[in-house]
Amino acid sequence: MKRLLDLFIALCAASVLIVPITLVAIAVRLTSKGPAIYWSDRVGRYNRIFKMPKFRSMRIDTPAVSTHLLGNPDQFLTPIGSFLRKSSLDELPQLWSVILGRLSLIGPRPELPSLVKHYEENISYYNIRHLIKPGLSGWAQLYGEHAHHGTSVDQTKNKLSYDLFYIKNRQWWLD
């Protein structure tokens, strides 16, 4: 039932958002060099790595590390990158991952492999969040006001508590 609900909502959203998605893609291409969409490795269900699409909000010469390690990641943003991130428009291509079944609409947000390794070493039970399919958004983002990724160990422990609550209580109607 959850998969059907995810698929139905993602298809409806994609059909309604096709014009904004196209306009954002054009804006990214016109304001910076490189492709409009980039594919980022993320850790999904059962610790499997998958490619997650996002609109590119950073320049193509940005170092290949997590943005929280860059010191001042804003220096690498494209002219519209800050707007894309603040408005979450950079997340729109992830509807494709929901349609393909790689993501659910709601579930623990998928992290970068390097961050997963770090959190697994420093947070007990962190790997439990990989027992279910990751989500386009998570319980922590919806109800805990947490960033998607790249936070401190203490913030991630708190975010994990939301993920574990969701895993324990998940039902299709809860989404």
mmCIF file of all heavy atoms in Angstrom, residues 34-51:
data_model
loop_
_atom_site.group_PDB
_atom_site.id
_atom_site.type_symbol
_atom_site.label_atom_id
_atom_site.label_comp_id
_atom_site.label_asym_id
_atom_site.label_seq_id
_atom_site.Cartn_x
_atom_site.Cartn_y
_atom_site.Cartn_z
ATOM 1 N N GLY A 34 27.980 23.332 -16.875
ATOM 2 C CA GLY A 34 27.743 21.964 -16.418
ATOM 3 C C GLY A 34 26.287 21.545 -16.561
ATOM 4 O O GLY A 34 25.425 22.330 -16.962
ATOM 5 N N PRO A 35 26.022 20.294 -16.221
ATOM 6 C CA PRO A 35 24.667 19.760 -16.360
ATOM 7 C C PRO A 35 23.722 20.360 -15.317
ATOM 8 O O PRO A 35 24.156 20.840 -14.265
ATOM 9 C CB PRO A 35 24.856 18.260 -16.120
ATOM 10 C CG PRO A 35 26.076 18.168 -15.268
ATOM 11 C CD PRO A 35 26.963 19.303 -15.700
ATOM 12 N N ALA A 36 22.434 20.322 -15.593
ATOM 13 C CA ALA A 36 21.435 20.841 -14.654
ATOM 14 C C ALA A 36 21.251 19.890 -13.472
ATOM 15 O O ALA A 36 20.965 20.321 -12.364
ATOM 16 C CB ALA A 36 20.110 21.060 -15.362
ATOM 17 N N ILE A 37 21.415 18.610 -13.723
ATOM 18 C CA ILE A 37 21.200 17.609 -12.677
ATOM 19 C C ILE A 37 22.507 16.882 -12.403
ATOM 20 O O ILE A 37 23.274 16.599 -13.318
ATOM 21 C CB ILE A 37 20.111 16.599 -13.109
ATOM 22 C CG1 ILE A 37 18.762 17.305 -13.205
ATOM 23 C CG2 ILE A 37 20.034 15.414 -12.150
ATOM 24 C CD1 ILE A 37 17.625 16.434 -13.693
ATOM 25 N N TYR A 38 22.761 16.628 -11.143
ATOM 26 C CA TYR A 38 23.903 15.779 -10.811
ATOM 27 C C TYR A 38 23.386 14.591 -10.019
ATOM 28 O O TYR A 38 22.318 14.635 -9.411
ATOM 29 C CB TYR A 38 24.996 16.547 -10.060
ATOM 30 C CG TYR A 38 24.771 16.690 -8.580
ATOM 31 C CD1 TYR A 38 25.390 15.829 -7.685
ATOM 32 C CD2 TYR A 38 23.958 17.686 -8.069
ATOM 33 C CE1 TYR A 38 25.188 15.955 -6.324
ATOM 34 C CE2 TYR A 38 23.753 17.825 -6.713
ATOM 35 C CZ TYR A 38 24.369 16.961 -5.842
ATOM 36 O OH TYR A 38 24.162 17.079 -4.500
ATOM 37 N N TRP A 39 24.132 13.514 -10.062
ATOM 38 C CA TRP A 39 23.749 12.268 -9.414
ATOM 39 C C TRP A 39 24.724 12.002 -8.284
ATOM 40 O O TRP A 39 25.920 11.868 -8.503
ATOM 41 C CB TRP A 39 23.764 11.120 -10.428
ATOM 42 C CG TRP A 39 22.779 11.339 -11.523
ATOM 43 C CD1 TRP A 39 22.953 12.128 -12.633
ATOM 44 C CD2 TRP A 39 21.467 10.820 -11.605
ATOM 45 N NE1 TRP A 39 21.818 12.108 -13.394
ATOM 46 C CE2 TRP A 39 20.886 11.309 -12.799
ATOM 47 C CE3 TRP A 39 20.719 9.975 -10.799
ATOM 48 C CZ2 TRP A 39 19.604 10.986 -13.183
ATOM 49 C CZ3 TRP A 39 19.439 9.650 -11.193
ATOM 50 C CH2 TRP A 39 18.886 10.155 -12.365
ATOM 51 N N SER A 40 24.206 11.924 -7.078
ATOM 52 C CA SER A 40 25.023 11.760 -5.883
ATOM 53 C C SER A 40 24.865 10.351 -5.323
ATOM 54 O O SER A 40 23.751 9.833 -5.237
ATOM 55 C CB SER A 40 24.561 12.783 -4.837
ATOM 56 O OG SER A 40 25.221 12.616 -3.623
ATOM 57 N N ASP A 41 25.988 9.723 -4.945
ATOM 58 C CA ASP A 41 25.921 8.418 -4.285
ATOM 59 C C ASP A 41 25.314 8.598 -2.900
ATOM 60 O O ASP A 41 25.721 9.491 -2.150
ATOM 61 C CB ASP A 41 27.312 7.806 -4.136
ATOM 62 C CG ASP A 41 27.858 7.243 -5.417
ATOM 63 O OD1 ASP A 41 27.080 7.078 -6.375
ATOM 64 O OD2 ASP A 41 29.068 6.961 -5.468
ATOM 65 N N ARG A 42 24.344 7.766 -2.569
ATOM 66 C CA ARG A 42 23.702 7.783 -1.259
ATOM 67 C C ARG A 42 23.540 6.352 -0.771
ATOM 68 O O ARG A 42 23.523 5.409 -1.561
ATOM 69 C CB ARG A 42 22.323 8.437 -1.317
ATOM 70 C CG ARG A 42 22.351 9.905 -1.731
ATOM 71 C CD ARG A 42 23.200 10.724 -0.758
ATOM 72 N NE ARG A 42 23.458 12.052 -1.260
ATOM 73 C CZ ARG A 42 22.913 13.153 -0.774
ATOM 74 N NH1 ARG A 42 22.075 13.082 0.242
ATOM 75 N NH2 ARG A 42 23.212 14.316 -1.288
ATOM 76 N N VAL A 43 23.422 6.191 0.541
ATOM 77 C CA VAL A 43 23.238 4.876 1.139
ATOM 78 C C VAL A 43 21.747 4.651 1.336
ATOM 79 O O VAL A 43 21.064 5.460 1.968
ATOM 80 C CB VAL A 43 23.986 4.748 2.480
ATOM 81 C CG1 VAL A 43 23.752 3.376 3.096
ATOM 82 C CG2 VAL A 43 25.479 4.996 2.272
ATOM 83 N N GLY A 44 21.251 3.554 0.776
ATOM 84 C CA GLY A 44 19.837 3.235 0.854
ATOM 85 C C GLY A 44 19.565 2.027 1.729
ATOM 86 O O GLY A 44 20.359 1.679 2.610
ATOM 87 N N ARG A 45 18.448 1.384 1.441
ATOM 88 C CA ARG A 45 18.029 0.219 2.206
ATOM 89 C C ARG A 45 19.095 -0.878 2.135
ATOM 90 O O ARG A 45 19.673 -1.118 1.081
ATOM 91 C CB ARG A 45 16.707 -0.287 1.636
ATOM 92 C CG ARG A 45 16.088 -1.387 2.456
ATOM 93 C CD ARG A 45 14.750 -1.760 1.898
ATOM 94 N NE ARG A 45 14.047 -2.634 2.830
ATOM 95 C CZ ARG A 45 12.921 -3.231 2.561
ATOM 96 N NH1 ARG A 45 12.321 -3.039 1.395
ATOM 97 N NH2 ARG A 45 12.358 -4.006 3.449
ATOM 98 N N TYR A 46 19.331 -1.529 3.261
ATOM 99 C CA TYR A 46 20.332 -2.592 3.393
ATOM 100 C C TYR A 46 21.742 -2.118 3.037
ATOM 101 O O TYR A 46 22.554 -2.887 2.538
ATOM 102 C CB TYR A 46 19.959 -3.815 2.554
ATOM 103 C CG TYR A 46 18.587 -4.358 2.836
ATOM 104 C CD1 TYR A 46 17.706 -4.630 1.796
ATOM 105 C CD2 TYR A 46 18.141 -4.582 4.143
ATOM 106 C CE1 TYR A 46 16.429 -5.127 2.043
ATOM 107 C CE2 TYR A 46 16.869 -5.072 4.391
ATOM 108 C CZ TYR A 46 16.028 -5.341 3.345
ATOM 109 O OH TYR A 46 14.766 -5.815 3.582
ATOM 110 N N ASN A 47 22.012 -0.839 3.254
ATOM 111 C CA ASN A 47 23.324 -0.232 2.997
ATOM 112 C C ASN A 47 23.739 -0.267 1.524
ATOM 113 O O ASN A 47 24.929 -0.176 1.216
ATOM 114 C CB ASN A 47 24.411 -0.865 3.868
ATOM 115 C CG ASN A 47 24.382 -0.362 5.282
ATOM 116 O OD1 ASN A 47 23.340 0.014 5.800
ATOM 117 N ND2 ASN A 47 25.521 -0.345 5.923
ATOM 118 N N ARG A 48 22.798 -0.413 0.633
ATOM 119 C CA ARG A 48 23.126 -0.404 -0.796
ATOM 120 C C ARG A 48 23.293 1.033 -1.281
ATOM 121 O O ARG A 48 22.508 1.907 -0.948
ATOM 122 C CB ARG A 48 22.013 -1.080 -1.597
ATOM 123 C CG ARG A 48 21.951 -2.568 -1.357
ATOM 124 C CD ARG A 48 20.967 -3.239 -2.306
ATOM 125 N NE ARG A 48 20.850 -4.636 -1.972
ATOM 126 C CZ ARG A 48 19.698 -5.233 -1.658
ATOM 127 N NH1 ARG A 48 18.569 -4.557 -1.676
ATOM 128 N NH2 ARG A 48 19.680 -6.508 -1.348
ATOM 129 N N ILE A 49 24.316 1.236 -2.090
ATOM 130 C CA ILE A 49 24.575 2.555 -2.666
ATOM 131 C C ILE A 49 23.672 2.729 -3.896
ATOM 132 O O ILE A 49 23.544 1.824 -4.711
ATOM 133 C CB ILE A 49 26.052 2.699 -3.097
ATOM 134 C CG1 ILE A 49 26.993 2.427 -1.916
ATOM 135 C CG2 ILE A 49 26.314 4.065 -3.709
ATOM 136 C CD1 ILE A 49 26.910 3.408 -0.785
ATOM 137 N N PHE A 50 23.044 3.900 -3.998
ATOM 138 C CA PHE A 50 22.259 4.217 -5.184
ATOM 139 C C PHE A 50 22.547 5.652 -5.588
ATOM 140 O O PHE A 50 23.091 6.437 -4.802
ATOM 141 C CB PHE A 50 20.754 3.978 -4.950
ATOM 142 C CG PHE A 50 20.093 4.982 -4.050
ATOM 143 C CD1 PHE A 50 19.357 6.038 -4.577
ATOM 144 C CD2 PHE A 50 20.187 4.877 -2.673
ATOM 145 C CE1 PHE A 50 18.745 6.961 -3.752
ATOM 146 C CE2 PHE A 50 19.575 5.788 -1.835
ATOM 147 C CZ PHE A 50 18.848 6.832 -2.371
ATOM 148 N N LYS A 51 22.240 5.981 -6.809
ATOM 149 C CA LYS A 51 22.452 7.332 -7.331
ATOM 150 C C LYS A 51 21.170 8.140 -7.137
ATOM 151 O O LYS A 51 20.097 7.720 -7.566
ATOM 152 C CB LYS A 51 22.797 7.296 -8.828
ATOM 153 C CG LYS A 51 24.065 6.554 -9.156
ATOM 154 C CD LYS A 51 25.254 7.427 -8.971
ATOM 155 C CE LYS A 51 26.501 6.734 -9.506
ATOM 156 N NZ LYS A 51 27.696 7.401 -9.067
#
